């Protein structure tokens, strides 16, 4: 009845990841503390994410695109961190109410903030981060906006911005699996062909040792 694609009402310590949600009034309606919201595609809705009383949470590496109203709207939501999200072709700007405070819109330098398709700044030192902040409103700004959409390093299965031994272990645990197998890990299916196999191992090996930044 709330016209939400994915609704989380007051639960805490939840990881919301690897979802494709769109074409709803609220693609995601989230409430509660200590949420991890990552690797979701939130697209073509009215509102992308509606955050109500969300606190102490991290929202990162999501694609929030083509929403006809606000890509993210914060109501009484505080102490959250947003970074490495791609905000692309949303009709309205992000909206933060007066009773939302201490939200952080980047992960510091050189990790960076978010990609905003309407950002008009320049990058004179070519470090991939805009030289001027992206202004959301007088109390909220992304200090280190990304100049290009965020893309993970191929082979970074655990999402720690590096490809290393822990990723290789995760791939080995999921090796040979397909969706609905008990050891299936969608992040280990690096080439997205529906099975964790040799080609995924080759890609991981090619990027082994890489890290961001």
């Amino acid at each position: 009845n709330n016209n939400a694609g994915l609704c989380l009402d007051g639960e805490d310590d939840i990881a919301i990841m690897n979802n494709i949600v769109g074409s709803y009034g609220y693609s995601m309606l989230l409430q509660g503390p200590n949420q991890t919201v990552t690797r979701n595609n939130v697209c073509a809705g009215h509102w992308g994410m509606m955050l109500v009383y969300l606190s102490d949470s991290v929202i990162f590496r999501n694609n929030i695109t083509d929403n006809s109203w606000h890509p993210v709207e914060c109501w009484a939501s505080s102490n959250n961190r947003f970074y490495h999200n791609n905000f692309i072709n949303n009709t309205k700007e992000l909206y933060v109410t007066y009773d939302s405070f201490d939200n952080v819109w980047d992960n510091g330098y050189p990790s960076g903030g978010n990609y905003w398709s309407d950002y008009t700044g320049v990058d004179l030192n070519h470090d991939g981060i805009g030289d001027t902040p992206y202004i959301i409103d007088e109390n909220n700004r992304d200090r280190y906006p990304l100049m290009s959409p965020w893309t993970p390093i191929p082979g970074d299965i655990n999402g720690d911005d590096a490809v290393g031994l822990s990723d290789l272990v995760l791939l080995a645990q999921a090796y040979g699996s397909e969706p609905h197998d008990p050891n299936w890990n969608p992040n280990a299916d690096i080439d997205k062909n529906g099975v964790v196999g040799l080609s995924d191992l080759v890609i991981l090996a090619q990027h082994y040792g890489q890290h961001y930044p």
Side-chain angles (χ1 to χ4, degrees):
N1 291 332
N2 58 23
N3 193 26
L6 189 155
C7 180
L8 193 70
D9 188 8
E11 293 84 354
D12 60 358
D13 296 310
I14 299 293
I16 305 163
M17 60 190 301
N18 295 318
N19 300 286
I20 301 173
V21 189
S23 300
Y24 289 90
Y26 307 105
S27 291
M28 284 189 174
L29 178 59
L30 308 178
Q31 176 179 337
N34 302 314
Q35 312 296 345
T36 299
V37 185
T38 185
R39 300 192 184 193
N40 300 287
N41 290 318
V42 182
C43 55
H46 195 47
W47 284 271
M49 292 183 182
M50 172 66 78
L51 311 181
V52 182
Y53 299 111
L54 190 77
S55 62
D56 303 304
S57 298
V58 58
I59 297 93
F60 67 112
R61 298 185 187 133
N62 301 284
N63 294 313
I64 305 172
T65 63
D66 299 306
N67 295 284
S68 62
W69 203 246
H70 303 295
V72 173
E73 189 162 325
C74 297
W75 287 89
S77 294
S78 302
N79 299 305
N80 303 295
R81 183 179 293 272
F82 303 78
Y83 67 94
H84 296 174
N85 300 291
N86 296 321
F87 294 99
I88 300 174
N89 295 332
N90 298 290
T91 303
K92 298 287 186 178
E93 71 280 359
L94 190 146
Y95 180 70
V96 182
T97 63
Y98 70 92
D99 52 353
S100 296
F101 53 89
D102 292 337
N103 292 301
V104 179
W105 298 93
D106 58 69
N107 197 39
Y109 185 86
S111 178
N114 306 278
Y115 173 73
W116 312 84
S117 62
D118 60 347
Y119 176 65
T120 58
V122 298
D123 177 20
L124 295 179
N125 63 350
H126 305 291
D127 62 354
I129 294 175
D131 297 335
T132 55
Y134 179 87
I135 305 300
I136 299 168
D137 60 30
E138 61 182 5
N139 297 313
N140 296 274
R141 62 182 58 197
D142 182 344
R143 298 171 299 169
Y144 305 107
L146 303 178
M147 295 301 295
S148 301
W150 168 260
T151 56
I153 303 171
D156 179 16
I157 297 173
N158 65 357
D160 66 350
D161 293 332
V163 180
L165 180 59
S166 58
D167 301 296
L168 183 59
V169 169
L170 290 173
L171 192 147
Q173 292 171 342
Y175 198 86
S177 67
E178 300 179 1
H180 308 302
D181 288 339
N183 61 328
W184 169 251
N185 182 343
N187 297 329
D189 181 18
I190 302 170
D191 61 4
K192 304 305 178 187
N193 69 346
V195 60
V196 179
L198 180 59
S199 59
D200 301 299
L201 179 60
V202 169
I203 294 172
L204 189 151
Q206 290 171 338
H207 295 274
Y208 196 89
Q210 291 184 9
H211 56 87
Y212 183 90

